[in-house]
């Protein structure tokens, strides 16, 4: 899998004139990587992910997956959003089967695949529960299972833990890291939370606003085995501070460990 975003410009024409949401965006994600894009509100993160998902088009520039231009949504890219997007009238199992149903997968195969991925996210016991009976963290695990069940080449996540409380968020971060290691899924996630980006990823694209640009690519060279303790390490704090400085606009190249 090779995702490439090259020379992307995205402009919205509004009644107040043109808004340049993204400018000069170049990025890539390779098989098995966990990459985050981090930036303040309005830096174009959701716009960028929507272009990769094929939910919108760049004004100019290209998005390609394995050399093929993205022209719409596709089963090669799974998406998890910030807000809970489960269908409230379907139980957990049916929600996870939904994407497979759209793909025309047979009923028995759907059931098997959905069960397999509910097991991956640790929710087998809740297969018959309705979304309203689940906590926020559990709902996001169902959304992750639903995306993974279609076996996408890459999982795209737009602030998936943004609506969760601090403790649940931390539990979900550890869950996601463990899932990434176990399933070898390729992940591109966006977040405004610098700590989350440093904790989860191997590479971070730091984005700034007006217009949304990639200011810096930071390689996170932390030991593979990340736990709660990792966040207390001086090296972790250093990455976090460096990225915060870029976001505040007072970064110098020498300050970066990358
Ligand atoms: N459909 C649209 N029409 C007009 N302007 C838009 C549209 N979508 C996004 N924008 C503008 O593009 C810019 C980037 O928006 P975007 O939602 O991508 O930012 P974001 O980084 O995801 O912010 P947040 O962290 O708040 O989610 C903003 O100025 C926004 O107002
Ligand atoms: Mg957003």
């Amino acid at each position: 899998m090779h995702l490439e975003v090259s020379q992307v410009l995205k402009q919205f024409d509004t009644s107040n004139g043109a808004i340049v949401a993204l400018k000069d965006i170049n990025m890539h994600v390779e098989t098995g990587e966990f990459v985050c894009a981090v930036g303040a509100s309005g830096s174009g993160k959701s716009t960028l992910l929507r272009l990769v998902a094929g939910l919108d088009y760049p004004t100019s520039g290209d998005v390609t997956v394995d050399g093929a231009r993205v022209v719409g949504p596709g089963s090669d890219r799974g998406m998890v959003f910030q807000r809970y997007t489960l269908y409230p009238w379907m139980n957990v199992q049916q929600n996870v089967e939904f994407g497979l149903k759209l793909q025309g997968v047979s009923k028995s195969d759907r059931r098997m695949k959905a069960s397999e991925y509910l097991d991956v996210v640790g929710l087998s016991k809740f297969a018959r529960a309705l979304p309203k009976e689940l906590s926020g963290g559990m709902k996001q695990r169902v959304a992750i299972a639903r995306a993974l069940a279609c076996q996408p080449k890459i999982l795209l996540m737009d602030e998936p833990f943004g609506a969760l409380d601090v403790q649940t968020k931390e539990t979900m971060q550890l869950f996601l890291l463990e899932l990434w290691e176990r399933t070898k899924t390729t992940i591109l996630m966006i977040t405004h939370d610098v700590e989350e980006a440093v904790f989860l990823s191997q590479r971070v694209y730091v984005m700034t606003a007006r217009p949304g640009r990639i200011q810096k690519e930071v390689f996170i060279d932390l030991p593979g085995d990340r736990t709660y303790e990792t966040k207390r390490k001086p090296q972790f704090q250093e990455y976090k501070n460096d990225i915060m400085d870029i976001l505040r606009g007072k970064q110098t190249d020498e300050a970066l460990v990358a």
Side-chain angles (χ1 to χ4, degrees), residues 12 14 19 21 39-48 56 82 158-159 190 192:
F12 292 107
T14 72
I19 294 175
S41 185
S43 57
K45 304 183 298 296
S46 293
T47 303
L48 174 62
D56 202 347
Q82 169 174 354
D158 187 348
E159 310 233 19
I190 62 169
H192 63 264

Side-chain angles (χ1 to χ4, degrees), residues 11-21:
Q11 187 171 316
F12 292 107
D13 293 314
T14 72
S15 49
N16 287 326
I19 294 175
V20 180

Side-chain angles (χ1 to χ4, degrees), residues 181 199 220-227 230 233 235:
E181 273 161 15
F199 184 59
I220 310 293
D221 188 17
L222 289 169
D225 197 12
R226 301 183 191 182
T227 65
T230 309
K233 296 224 160 84
Q235 199 190 358

Side-chain angles (χ1 to χ4, degrees), residues 29-141:
V29 182
E30 312 300 333
T31 303
E33 274 194 305
F34 196 142
V35 174
C36 275
V38 71
S41 185
S43 57
K45 304 183 298 296
S46 293
T47 303
L48 174 62
L49 212 66
R50 285 173 55 80
L51 297 182
V52 175
L55 298 170
D56 202 347
Y57 303 94
T59 306
S60 63
D62 264 325
V63 180
T64 59
V65 175
D66 290 334
R69 192 177 200 166
V70 168
V71 289
S75 57
D76 55 339
R77 286 149 291 138
M79 184 89 173
V80 177
F81 297 89
Q82 169 174 354
R83 277 168 299 116
Y84 311 131
T85 50
L86 303 179
Y87 297 108
W89 63 90
M90 292 183 189
N91 69 27
V92 164
Q93 173 91 21
Q94 290 162 334
N95 264 288
V96 177
E97 283 185 25
F98 187 75
L100 298 166
K101 198 172 175 179
L102 289 183
Q103 282 181 21
V105 176
S106 76
K107 203 168 177 178
S108 59
D109 283 355
R110 258 169 19 219
R111 193 157 295 172
M112 222 163 61
K113 266 267 144 0
S115 301
E116 182 186 332
Y117 282 94
L118 277 179
D119 188 41
V120 167
V121 300
L123 287 176
S124 301
K125 281 193 188 143
F126 293 86
R128 286 169 192 282
L130 287 171
K132 67 176 180 196
E133 298 167 310
L134 306 179
S135 70
M138 288 159 90
K139 282 184 211 171
Q140 285 309 65
R141 273 151 61 192

